[in-house]
Amino acid sequence: MKKKASVHKELLHSLPKERGWRSIHQYHFQNFWCPSVDIEAVISFQKHFQARDSDIVVASLPKSGTTWLKALTFAVVNRHRFDIKAHPLLTSNPHHLVPFFEMDLYINNRVPDFSSKFAEPTLFGTHIPFPSLGTIKESNCKIIYVCRNPFDSFVSAWHFFNKVKLQSQAPLSLDEAFDRYCQGMDAFGPFWDHILGYWKESLKRPQNVLFLKYEDMNQDVVSHLKRLAKFLDYPFTEEEERNGVIEDISKMCSFETLKKLDINKTGTFVNNIENSKNLFRKAEVGDWVNYLTPKMVERMSKVIEEK
Ligand code: A3P
């Protein structure tokens, strides 16, 4: 029998390959782009992960507000377990409390055992596109997806991936990165397929897939927290509303609070990526105006319209 590593190598050889964002190369696998390390993890996840109806999955494209949504979801689901003043979110990064399938749980051929140490409901995070979600697709578990304006996601991704490269290599220039993004060669993209995959599923199965937008959440986090809690079957009671529980959660999970925490200034999240300078940058809606030329805006708008 061939060793796993050589099977993986053979698979990689058969896949279309391009310059990567985080790694030297990225591969086109199951209709999305990602580095080889993620492919291995996705395969392992698809083979071993058995979704339970009680599981909750936070899904997104990179740099769309994943960290924020993980924090909000964790806080909502666990609000009766923890005092807000001594909350795990104040001492742990959201990515540690809600781990990624592909960049954490199944990385490097790990196969986690969910039978004992993971309480129900178990919260997971993923950037894997909907069609590749394995047993989750056939389960009744809840998926919350956050989508961000691709202009801002692109700018955020460009900053981020140039800081967290897996191998030493020259940074991607803004022009080069933009060209790749518009061609759909973004991490876990094409971004339009990723967004549309979850969007269509949210229309088909609204009880199972909640589609949120970063910009809407930014405008009114309280009403989105209510929607989120109701969707997850953890609705806020009138008493909780009167007591300001929703506002407390929104404040605890805010960019300003999370950015200032020691754990997020000094710790690392996945692949030893430092939290501080990478996860919490500006969190502004419309920051793209500071980076994109009118020509770039025209090109991306055309792509968005077409797709
Ligand atoms: P910017 O780079 O535009 O600042 P992700 O969590 O998917 O990696 O997305 C990162 C983006 O979300 C970054 O955007 C980051 O600053 C922003 N962000 C992180 N935490 C946030 C929070 N609590 N509230 C709002 N935005 C947040």
Side-chain angles (χ1 to χ4, degrees), residues 191-266:
F191 67 84
W192 53 85
D193 281 347
H194 201 281
I195 296 170
L196 284 172
Y198 283 96
W199 167 249
K200 285 181 183 157
E201 202 57 28
S202 77
L203 297 180
K204 243 197 269 170
R205 295 192 301 137
Q207 289 89 344
N208 294 94
V209 184
L210 178 67
F211 190 95
L212 300 176
K213 295 186 196 152
Y214 181 93
E215 293 73 20
D216 294 348
M217 288 163 60
N218 198 60
Q219 227 175 27
D220 181 1
V221 67
V222 167
S223 77
H224 283 83
L225 266 170
K226 284 193 208 172
R227 255 184 94 188
L228 178 65
K230 199 166 165 213
F231 169 76
L232 293 174
D233 299 325
Y234 287 79
F236 292 104
T237 62
E238 280 180 18
E239 194 187 349
E240 282 182 308
E241 290 205 26
R242 266 197 313 276
N243 292 341
V245 172
I246 310 179
E247 284 77 8
D248 285 347
I249 290 178
S250 80
K251 205 167 156 200
M252 176 175 68
C253 299
S254 70
F255 177 76
E256 292 70 27
T257 304
L258 294 186
K259 189 180 169 114
K260 280 189 205 138
L261 296 173
D262 279 350
I263 181 66
N264 293 331
K265 280 194 207 153
T266 56

Coordinates of all heavy atoms in Angstrom, one line a residue, residues 191-266:
F191 N -14.3 33.8 -4.6 CA -15.1 34.3 -3.6 C -16.6 34.2 -3.9 O -17.5 34.0 -3.1 CB -14.7 35.7 -3.2 CG -14.9 36.8 -4.2 CD1 -16.1 37.4 -4.3 CD2 -13.8 37.2 -5.0 CE1 -16.3 38.4 -5.3 CE2 -14.0 38.2 -6.0 CZ -15.2 38.8 -6.1
W192 N -16.9 34.4 -5.2 CA -18.3 34.4 -5.6 C -19.0 33.0 -5.4 O -20.1 32.9 -5.0 CB -18.5 34.9 -7.0 CG -17.7 34.3 -8.1 CD1 -18.0 33.1 -8.8 CD2 -16.4 34.7 -8.6 NE1 -17.0 32.8 -9.6 CE2 -16.0 33.8 -9.6 CE3 -15.6 35.8 -8.3 CZ2 -14.8 33.9 -10.3 CZ3 -14.4 36.0 -9.0 CH2 -14.0 35.0 -10.0
D193 N -18.2 32.0 -5.8 CA -18.7 30.6 -5.6 C -18.9 30.3 -4.1 O -19.9 29.7 -3.7 CB -17.8 29.6 -6.1 CG -17.8 29.5 -7.6 OD1 -18.8 30.0 -8.2 OD2 -16.9 28.9 -8.3
H194 N -18.0 30.8 -3.3 CA -18.1 30.5 -1.8 C -19.3 31.2 -1.3 O -20.1 30.5 -0.6 CB -16.8 31.1 -1.2 CG -16.5 30.5 0.2 ND1 -17.1 30.9 1.3 CD2 -15.6 29.6 0.5 CE1 -16.6 30.2 2.3 NE2 -15.7 29.4 1.9
I195 N -19.5 32.5 -1.6 CA -20.6 33.2 -1.0 C -21.9 32.7 -1.6 O -22.9 32.4 -0.8 CB -20.5 34.7 -1.4 CG1 -19.2 35.3 -0.7 CG2 -21.7 35.5 -1.0 CD1 -18.8 36.7 -1.2
L196 N -22.0 32.4 -2.9 CA -23.2 31.9 -3.5 C -23.6 30.5 -3.0 O -24.8 30.2 -2.8 CB -23.1 31.9 -5.0 CG -23.2 33.3 -5.7 CD1 -22.9 33.2 -7.2 CD2 -24.6 33.9 -5.5
G197 N -22.6 29.7 -2.7 CA -22.8 28.3 -2.2 C -23.6 28.4 -0.9 O -24.7 27.7 -0.7
Y198 N -23.2 29.2 0.0 CA -23.8 29.3 1.3 C -25.2 30.1 1.2 O -26.1 29.8 1.9 CB -22.9 30.0 2.3 CG -21.9 29.0 2.9 CD1 -20.6 29.0 2.3 CD2 -22.2 28.1 3.9 CE1 -19.6 28.1 2.8 CE2 -21.2 27.3 4.4 CZ -20.0 27.2 3.8 OH -19.0 26.4 4.3
W199 N -25.1 31.1 0.3 CA -26.4 31.9 0.1 C -27.5 31.1 -0.4 O -28.6 31.1 0.2 CB -26.1 33.1 -0.9 CG -27.2 33.8 -1.4 CD1 -27.7 33.8 -2.7 CD2 -28.1 34.6 -0.6 NE1 -28.9 34.5 -2.8 CE2 -29.1 35.1 -1.5 CE3 -28.2 35.1 0.7 CZ2 -30.2 36.0 -1.1 CZ3 -29.2 35.9 1.1 CH2 -30.2 36.4 0.2
K200 N -27.2 30.2 -1.4 CA -28.3 29.4 -2.0 C -28.8 28.4 -0.9 O -30.0 28.1 -0.8 CB -27.8 28.7 -3.2 CG -27.6 29.6 -4.4 CD -27.1 28.9 -5.6 CE -27.0 29.9 -6.8 NZ -26.0 29.4 -7.8
E201 N -27.9 27.9 -0.1 CA -28.2 26.9 0.9 C -29.1 27.6 2.0 O -30.0 27.0 2.5 CB -27.0 26.3 1.5 CG -27.2 24.9 2.2 CD -27.8 23.9 1.3 OE1 -27.6 23.9 0.0 OE2 -28.5 23.0 1.8
S202 N -28.8 28.8 2.2 CA -29.6 29.5 3.3 C -31.0 29.8 2.8 O -31.9 29.9 3.6 CB -28.9 30.9 3.6 OG -29.1 31.8 2.6
L203 N -31.2 29.9 1.4 CA -32.5 30.1 0.9 C -33.3 28.7 0.9 O -34.5 28.7 1.2 CB -32.5 30.6 -0.5 CG -31.8 32.0 -0.7 CD1 -31.8 32.3 -2.2 CD2 -32.6 33.0 0.1
K204 N -32.5 27.7 0.6 CA -33.1 26.3 0.6 C -33.5 25.8 2.0 O -34.5 25.2 2.2 CB -32.1 25.4 0.0 CG -32.6 24.7 -1.3 CD -31.7 23.5 -1.7 CE -30.5 23.8 -2.5 NZ -29.6 22.8 -2.7
R205 N -32.6 26.1 2.9 CA -32.8 25.5 4.3 C -32.6 26.6 5.3 O -31.6 26.6 6.1 CB -31.8 24.4 4.5 CG -32.1 23.2 3.6 CD -31.3 21.9 4.1 NE -29.9 22.2 4.1 CZ -29.1 21.8 5.1 NH1 -29.6 21.1 6.1 NH2 -27.8 22.0 5.1
P206 N -33.5 27.6 5.4 CA -33.3 28.7 6.3 C -33.2 28.3 7.8 O -32.6 29.1 8.6 CB -34.5 29.6 6.0 CG -35.5 28.8 5.3 CD -34.7 27.7 4.6
Q207 N -33.7 27.2 8.1 CA -33.6 26.7 9.5 C -32.2 26.3 9.9 O -31.8 26.2 11.0 CB -34.6 25.6 9.9 CG -36.0 25.9 9.9 CD -36.7 25.8 8.5 OE1 -36.0 25.7 7.5 NE2 -38.0 25.8 8.5
N208 N -31.5 25.9 8.8 CA -30.1 25.3 9.0 C -29.0 26.3 8.7 O -27.9 26.1 9.2 CB -30.0 24.0 8.3 CG -30.9 23.0 8.8 OD1 -32.0 22.8 8.2 ND2 -30.5 22.3 9.8
V209 N -29.2 27.2 7.8 CA -28.1 28.1 7.3 C -28.6 29.6 7.5 O -29.6 30.0 6.9 CB -27.7 27.8 5.9 CG1 -26.5 28.7 5.5 CG2 -27.4 26.3 5.7
L210 N -27.8 30.3 8.3 CA -28.1 31.7 8.5 C -27.0 32.5 7.8 O -25.8 32.3 8.0 CB -28.1 32.0 10.0 CG -28.4 33.5 10.3 CD1 -29.8 34.0 10.0 CD2 -28.1 33.8 11.8
F211 N -27.4 33.4 6.9 CA -26.5 34.2 6.1 C -26.5 35.6 6.6 O -27.5 36.3 6.6 CB -27.0 34.1 4.6 CG -26.0 34.7 3.6 CD1 -25.1 33.9 3.0 CD2 -26.0 36.0 3.4 CE1 -24.2 34.4 2.0 CE2 -25.1 36.6 2.4 CZ -24.2 35.7 1.8
L212 N -25.3 36.0 7.1 CA -25.2 37.3 7.7 C -24.2 38.2 6.9 O -23.3 37.6 6.3 CB -24.7 37.3 9.2 CG -25.6 36.5 10.2 CD1 -24.9 36.4 11.5 CD2 -26.9 37.1 10.3
K213 N -24.3 39.5 7.0 CA -23.4 40.4 6.3 C -22.6 41.2 7.4 O -23.2 41.8 8.3 CB -24.1 41.3 5.4 CG -24.8 40.5 4.2 CD -25.4 41.5 3.3 CE -26.4 40.8 2.3 NZ -27.4 41.7 1.8
Y214 N -21.3 41.3 7.2 CA -20.4 42.0 8.1 C -20.9 43.4 8.3 O -21.0 44.0 9.4 CB -19.0 41.9 7.6 CG -18.0 42.6 8.4 CD1 -17.2 41.9 9.4 CD2 -17.7 44.0 8.2 CE1 -16.3 42.6 10.1 CE2 -16.7 44.6 9.0 CZ -16.0 43.9 9.9 OH -15.0 44.6 10.6
E215 N -21.2 44.0 7.2 CA -21.6 45.5 7.2 C -22.9 45.7 8.0 O -23.0 46.7 8.7 CB -21.8 46.0 5.8 CG -20.5 46.1 4.9 CD -20.0 44.7 4.5 OE1 -20.8 43.7 4.4 OE2 -18.8 44.6 4.2
D216 N -23.9 44.8 7.8 CA -25.1 44.9 8.6 C -24.9 44.7 10.1 O -25.4 45.4 10.9 CB -26.1 43.9 8.1 CG -26.6 44.1 6.7 OD1 -26.3 45.2 6.1 OD2 -27.2 43.2 6.1
M217 N -24.0 43.7 10.4 CA -23.7 43.5 11.8 C -23.0 44.7 12.4 O -23.3 45.1 13.5 CB -22.8 42.3 11.9 CG -23.5 40.9 11.6 SD -22.3 39.6 11.3 CE -21.4 39.6 12.8
N218 N -22.2 45.3 11.6 CA -21.4 46.5 12.1 C -22.4 47.6 12.4 O -22.1 48.4 13.3 CB -20.5 46.9 11.0 CG -19.4 47.8 11.5 OD1 -18.6 47.3 12.4 ND2 -19.3 49.0 11.0
Q219 N -23.5 47.7 11.6 CA -24.4 48.8 11.8 C -25.3 48.6 13.0 O -25.7 49.5 13.7 CB -25.3 48.9 10.6 CG -25.3 50.4 10.2 CD -26.0 50.6 8.9 OE1 -26.9 49.8 8.5 NE2 -25.7 51.6 8.2
D220 N -25.6 47.3 13.3 CA -26.6 47.0 14.3 C -26.3 45.6 14.9 O -27.0 44.7 14.5 CB -28.0 47.1 13.8 CG -29.1 46.9 14.8 OD1 -28.7 46.6 16.0 OD2 -30.3 46.9 14.5
V221 N -25.4 45.6 15.8 CA -25.0 44.2 16.3 C -26.0 43.6 17.2 O -26.2 42.4 17.2 CB -23.6 44.3 16.9 CG1 -23.6 45.1 18.2 CG2 -23.0 42.9 17.2
V222 N -26.8 44.5 17.9 CA -27.8 44.0 18.8 C -28.9 43.2 18.1 O -29.2 42.1 18.5 CB -28.4 45.1 19.7 CG1 -29.6 44.7 20.4 CG2 -27.3 45.7 20.7
S223 N -29.4 43.8 17.0 CA -30.5 43.0 16.4 C -29.9 41.8 15.7 O -30.6 40.7 15.6 CB -31.2 43.9 15.4 OG -30.5 44.1 14.2
H224 N -28.7 41.8 15.3 CA -28.1 40.6 14.7 C -27.8 39.5 15.8 O -27.9 38.3 15.5 CB -26.8 40.9 13.9 CG -27.2 41.5 12.6 ND1 -27.5 42.8 12.4 CD2 -27.4 40.9 11.4 CE1 -27.8 43.0 11.1 NE2 -27.7 41.8 10.5
L225 N -27.5 40.0 17.0 CA -27.3 39.0 18.1 C -28.7 38.3 18.4 O -28.7 37.1 18.6 CB -26.8 39.7 19.3 CG -25.3 39.7 19.5 CD1 -24.9 40.6 20.6 CD2 -24.8 38.3 19.8
K226 N -29.7 39.1 18.3 CA -31.1 38.5 18.6 C -31.4 37.5 17.5 O -31.9 36.4 17.8 CB -32.1 39.6 18.6 CG -32.1 40.4 19.8 CD -33.4 41.2 19.8 CE -33.2 42.5 20.6 NZ -34.4 43.4 20.5
R227 N -31.1 37.8 16.2 CA -31.4 36.9 15.1 C -30.6 35.6 15.3 O -31.0 34.5 15.1 CB -30.9 37.6 13.8 CG -32.0 38.1 13.0 CD -31.5 38.6 11.7 NE -31.5 37.6 10.6 CZ -30.9 37.8 9.4 NH1 -30.2 38.9 9.2 NH2 -31.0 36.9 8.5
L228 N -29.3 35.8 15.6 CA -28.4 34.7 15.8 C -28.9 33.8 16.9 O -28.9 32.5 16.7 CB -27.0 35.2 16.1 CG -25.8 34.3 16.4 CD1 -25.5 33.5 15.1 CD2 -24.6 35.1 16.8
A229 N -29.2 34.3 18.0 CA -29.7 33.5 19.2 C -31.0 32.8 18.8 O -31.1 31.6 19.2 CB -29.9 34.5 20.4
K230 N -31.9 33.4 18.1 CA -33.1 32.8 17.8 C -32.9 31.6 16.8 O -33.4 30.5 16.9 CB -34.0 33.8 17.1 CG -35.5 33.4 17.1 CD -36.4 34.6 16.8 CE -37.7 34.1 16.5 NZ -38.4 34.8 15.5
F231 N -32.0 31.9 15.8 CA -31.7 30.9 14.8 C -31.1 29.6 15.5 O -31.4 28.5 15.1 CB -30.7 31.5 13.8 CG -30.1 30.5 12.9 CD1 -30.8 30.0 11.8 CD2 -28.8 30.1 13.1 CE1 -30.2 29.0 11.0 CE2 -28.2 29.1 12.2 CZ -28.9 28.6 11.2
L232 N -30.2 29.9 16.5 CA -29.6 28.8 17.2 C -30.4 28.1 18.2 O -30.0 27.2 18.9 CB -28.3 29.3 17.9 CG -27.2 29.7 16.9 CD1 -26.0 30.3 17.7 CD2 -26.7 28.6 16.0
D233 N -31.7 28.6 18.4 CA -32.6 28.1 19.4 C -32.1 28.4 20.8 O -32.3 27.6 21.7 CB -32.8 26.5 19.3 CG -33.4 26.2 17.9 OD1 -34.3 27.0 17.5 OD2 -33.1 25.1 17.4
Y234 N -31.4 29.5 20.9 CA -31.1 30.1 22.2 C -31.6 31.5 22.4 O -30.8 32.4 22.6 CB -29.5 30.1 22.4 CG -28.9 28.8 22.6 CD1 -28.6 27.9 21.5 CD2 -28.4 28.3 23.8 CE1 -28.0 26.7 21.6 CE2 -27.8 27.1 24.0 CZ -27.6 26.3 22.9 OH -27.0 25.1 23.1
P235 N -32.9 31.7 22.1 CA -33.4 33.1 22.1 C -33.2 33.8 23.4 O -33.2 33.2 24.5 CB -34.9 32.9 21.8 CG -35.2 31.5 22.2 CD -34.0 30.7 22.1
F236 N -33.0 35.1 23.4 CA -32.9 35.9 24.6 C -34.3 36.1 25.2 O -35.2 36.3 24.5 CB -32.3 37.3 24.3 CG -30.8 37.2 23.9 CD1 -30.5 37.4 22.5 CD2 -29.8 37.0 24.8 CE1 -29.1 37.3 22.2 CE2 -28.5 37.0 24.4 CZ -28.2 37.1 23.1
T237 N -34.3 35.9 26.5 CA -35.6 36.1 27.2 C -35.8 37.7 27.3 O -34.9 38.4 27.2 CB -35.6 35.5 28.6 OG1 -34.6 36.1 29.3 CG2 -35.4 34.0 28.5
E238 N -37.1 38.0 27.6 CA -37.4 39.4 27.9 C -36.6 40.0 29.1 O -36.1 41.1 29.1 CB -38.9 39.6 28.2 CG -39.7 39.6 26.9 CD -41.2 39.8 27.1 OE1 -41.5 40.3 28.2 OE2 -41.9 39.5 26.2
E239 N -36.4 39.1 30.0 CA -35.6 39.5 31.2 C -34.2 39.8 30.8 O -33.6 40.8 31.2 CB -35.7 38.4 32.3 CG -35.2 38.9 33.6 CD -35.1 37.7 34.6 OE1 -35.6 36.6 34.4 OE2 -34.5 38.0 35.7
E240 N -33.6 38.9 30.0 CA -32.2 39.1 29.5 C -32.1 40.4 28.8 O -31.2 41.2 28.9 CB -31.8 37.9 28.6 CG -31.4 36.7 29.4 CD -31.0 35.6 28.5 OE1 -31.7 35.3 27.5 OE2 -29.9 35.0 28.7
E241 N -33.1 40.7 27.9 CA -33.1 41.9 27.2 C -33.2 43.1 28.1 O -32.4 44.1 28.0 CB -34.3 42.0 26.2 CG -34.2 41.0 25.1 CD -34.9 41.4 23.8 OE1 -35.2 42.6 23.6 OE2 -35.3 40.5 23.1
R242 N -34.0 43.0 29.1 CA -34.2 44.1 30.1 C -32.9 44.3 30.9 O -32.5 45.4 31.2 CB -35.3 43.8 31.1 CG -36.6 44.4 30.7 CD -37.6 44.4 31.9 NE -37.6 43.2 32.7 CZ -38.4 42.2 32.4 NH1 -39.2 42.2 31.3 NH2 -38.4 41.1 33.2
N243 N -32.2 43.2 31.2 CA -31.0 43.3 32.0 C -29.7 43.7 31.1 O -28.6 43.7 31.7 CB -30.7 42.0 32.7 CG -31.8 41.8 33.8 OD1 -32.4 42.7 34.2 ND2 -31.9 40.5 34.2
G244 N -29.9 43.9 29.9 CA -28.8 44.3 29.0 C -27.8 43.2 28.7 O -26.6 43.5 28.3
V245 N -28.3 42.0 28.7 CA -27.4 40.9 28.3 C -26.8 41.0 26.9 O -25.7 40.8 26.6 CB -28.1 39.5 28.6 CG1 -27.2 38.3 28.0 CG2 -28.4 39.3 30.0
I246 N -27.7 41.4 26.0 CA -27.3 41.5 24.6 C -26.2 42.6 24.4 O -25.2 42.3 23.7 CB -28.5 41.8 23.7 CG1 -29.7 40.8 24.0 CG2 -28.1 41.7 22.2 CD1 -30.9 41.0 23.2
E247 N -26.4 43.7 25.1 CA -25.4 44.8 25.0 C -24.1 44.3 25.6 O -23.0 44.6 25.0 CB -25.9 46.0 25.7 CG -27.0 46.8 24.9 CD -28.4 46.2 25.0 OE1 -28.6 45.2 25.8 OE2 -29.3 46.7 24.3
D248 N -24.2 43.6 26.7 CA -23.0 43.1 27.3 C -22.2 42.2 26.4 O -21.0 42.3 26.3 CB -23.3 42.3 28.6 CG -23.7 43.2 29.7 OD1 -23.5 44.4 29.6 OD2 -24.3 42.7 30.7
I249 N -22.9 41.3 25.7 CA -22.2 40.4 24.8 C -21.6 41.2 23.6 O -20.5 41.0 23.2 CB -23.2 39.3 24.3 CG1 -23.6 38.3 25.4 CG2 -22.6 38.5 23.1 CD1 -24.6 37.3 25.0
S250 N -22.4 42.1 23.1 CA -21.9 42.8 21.9 C -20.6 43.6 22.3 O -19.7 43.7 21.5 CB -23.0 43.7 21.3 OG -23.1 44.9 22.0
K251 N -20.6 44.2 23.5 CA -19.5 44.9 24.0 C -18.3 44.0 24.2 O -17.1 44.3 23.8 CB -19.8 45.6 25.3 CG -19.0 46.9 25.5 CD -19.6 47.7 26.7 CE -18.5 48.5 27.2 NZ -18.8 49.0 28.5
M252 N -18.5 42.9 24.8 CA -17.4 41.9 25.1 C -16.8 41.5 23.8 O -15.6 41.3 23.7 CB -17.9 40.7 25.9 CG -16.8 39.7 26.1 SD -17.4 38.4 27.2 CE -18.6 37.6 26.1
C253 N -17.6 41.3 22.7 CA -17.1 40.8 21.4 C -16.7 41.9 20.5 O -16.3 41.6 19.3 CB -18.2 39.9 20.8 SG -18.6 38.5 21.8
S254 N -16.7 43.1 20.9 CA -16.5 44.2 20.0 C -15.0 44.2 19.6 O -14.1 43.7 20.3 CB -16.9 45.5 20.6 OG -16.0 45.8 21.6
F255 N -14.7 44.8 18.5 CA -13.3 44.9 18.0 C -12.5 45.6 19.1 O -11.4 45.2 19.4 CB -13.3 45.8 16.7 CG -12.0 46.0 16.1 CD1 -11.3 45.1 15.4 CD2 -11.4 47.3 16.2 CE1 -10.1 45.3 14.9 CE2 -10.2 47.6 15.7 CZ -9.5 46.6 15.0
E256 N -13.0 46.7 19.6 CA -12.3 47.5 20.6 C -11.9 46.6 21.8 O -10.8 46.7 22.3 CB -13.1 48.7 21.1 CG -13.3 49.8 20.0 CD -14.3 49.3 18.9 OE1 -15.2 48.5 19.2 OE2 -14.2 49.8 17.8
T257 N -12.8 45.9 22.3 CA -12.6 45.0 23.5 C -11.6 43.9 23.1 O -10.5 43.8 23.8 CB -13.8 44.4 24.0 OG1 -14.8 45.4 24.3 CG2 -13.6 43.6 25.3
L258 N -11.8 43.2 22.1 CA -11.0 42.0 21.8 C -9.6 42.5 21.4 O -8.6 41.8 21.8 CB -11.6 41.2 20.6 CG -12.9 40.5 20.8 CD1 -13.3 39.7 19.6 CD2 -12.9 39.6 22.1
K259 N -9.5 43.5 20.7 CA -8.1 44.0 20.3 C -7.2 44.3 21.5 O -6.0 44.1 21.5 CB -8.3 45.2 19.4 CG -7.0 45.6 18.7 CD -7.2 46.8 17.8 CE -5.8 47.4 17.4 NZ -5.5 47.3 16.0
K260 N -7.9 44.9 22.5 CA -7.1 45.3 23.7 C -6.7 44.2 24.7 O -5.9 44.4 25.6 CB -7.9 46.4 24.5 CG -7.8 47.7 23.8 CD -8.5 48.8 24.7 CE -8.9 49.9 23.9 NZ -10.2 50.4 24.3
L261 N -7.3 43.0 24.5 CA -7.0 42.0 25.5 C -5.6 41.4 25.4 O -5.1 41.3 24.3 CB -8.0 40.8 25.3 CG -9.5 41.0 25.5 CD1 -10.3 39.8 25.0 CD2 -9.8 41.4 26.9
D262 N -5.0 41.1 26.5 CA -3.7 40.6 26.5 C -3.5 39.4 25.6 O -2.6 39.3 24.8 CB -3.2 40.2 27.9 CG -2.8 41.4 28.7 OD1 -2.7 42.5 28.1 OD2 -2.7 41.3 29.9
I263 N -4.5 38.5 25.7 CA -4.4 37.3 24.9 C -4.3 37.6 23.4 O -3.7 36.9 22.6 CB -5.5 36.3 25.2 CG1 -5.4 35.0 24.4 CG2 -6.9 36.9 25.0 CD1 -4.2 34.1 24.7
N264 N -5.0 38.6 23.0 CA -5.0 39.0 21.6 C -3.9 39.9 21.2 O -3.7 40.2 20.0 CB -6.4 39.6 21.2 CG -7.5 38.5 21.3 OD1 -7.2 37.3 21.2 ND2 -8.7 38.9 21.6
K265 N -3.2 40.4 22.2 CA -2.0 41.2 21.8 C -0.8 40.3 21.7 O 0.2 40.6 21.0 CB -1.8 42.2 23.0 CG -2.7 43.4 22.9 CD -2.1 44.4 23.8 CE -3.2 45.4 24.3 NZ -2.8 45.9 25.6
T266 N -0.8 39.2 22.5 CA 0.5 38.4 22.6 C 0.4 37.0 22.0 O 1.3 36.5 21.6 CB 0.9 38.3 24.1 OG1 -0.2 37.7 24.7 CG2 1.2 39.6 24.7

